[in-house]
Amino acid sequence: MKLHVIFFGVFFLISSCTTNHPTLTEEKKEYFKKIENPLERWQAHKISNYNYLIDISLFGSGAGKYRVFIQNSKVEKVLSIKSNKWIIPTYLKNYYTFNDLIIAAQSKDTTQQKIQVKYDSLYGYPIQYFDEGYNEVIDDEYRYEIREVEFFR
């Protein structure tokens, strides 16, 4: 009996984790790719549980690689890859959902700042972001790259 419970538990965990949606037909993939606005493309998928690896480069503290876990469209926990320790809950406000990252990238004042963003062509989340900062300020560049995205049902 215990073996059956363990088997079904492992089967459930494996089947609920995927790096791409196996239910997306080529027709659906083409539909999502045609949505031009990244935020609308992301929201059309209705994904609320996922995690991703973010590599942050900036001048000062906060730079590094982190695994960000999103549950019910909220940041639940963040793991520092370098220290292999969980980020203290009070600092979770410094990490974002894809929805929030897209909104932040789209709301930047590009007349004062040089910003470059590349979005995932199927899901719409930002895969690369570079903000050179304000023209008059030195060392305020900020860059991140998102990889290893996993979606959960």
Side-chain angles (χ1 to χ4, degrees), residues 59-118:
F59 187 76
S61 64
K65 292 181 183 177
Y66 303 89
R67 172 70 58 186
V68 181
F69 293 85
I70 309 297
Q71 188 170 2
N72 298 319
S73 299
K74 294 182 180 176
V75 177
E76 283 295 313
K77 54 187 177 179
V78 177
L79 178 67
S80 168
I81 301 302
K82 183 177 180 179
S83 69
N84 200 31
K85 293 184 179 179
W86 296 103
I87 300 299
I88 298 170
T90 55
Y91 292 109
L92 293 181
K93 65 182 180 234
N94 297 323
Y95 302 90
Y96 303 97
T97 65
F98 284 161
N99 202 68
D100 294 335
L101 287 173
I102 296 167
I103 290 170
Q106 291 180 337
S107 66
K108 290 286 187 172
D109 179 6
T110 56
T111 60
Q112 294 294 317
Q113 298 170 273
K114 184 177 180 184
I115 297 172
Q116 299 170 359
V117 185
K118 291 183 183 176

Side-chain angles (χ1 to χ4, degrees), residues 131-143:
D131 181 346
E132 194 172 297
Y134 291 97
N135 297 329
E136 302 82 27
V137 180
I138 297 174
D139 294 332
D140 65 338
E141 297 88 9
Y142 178 81
R143 173 191 316 256

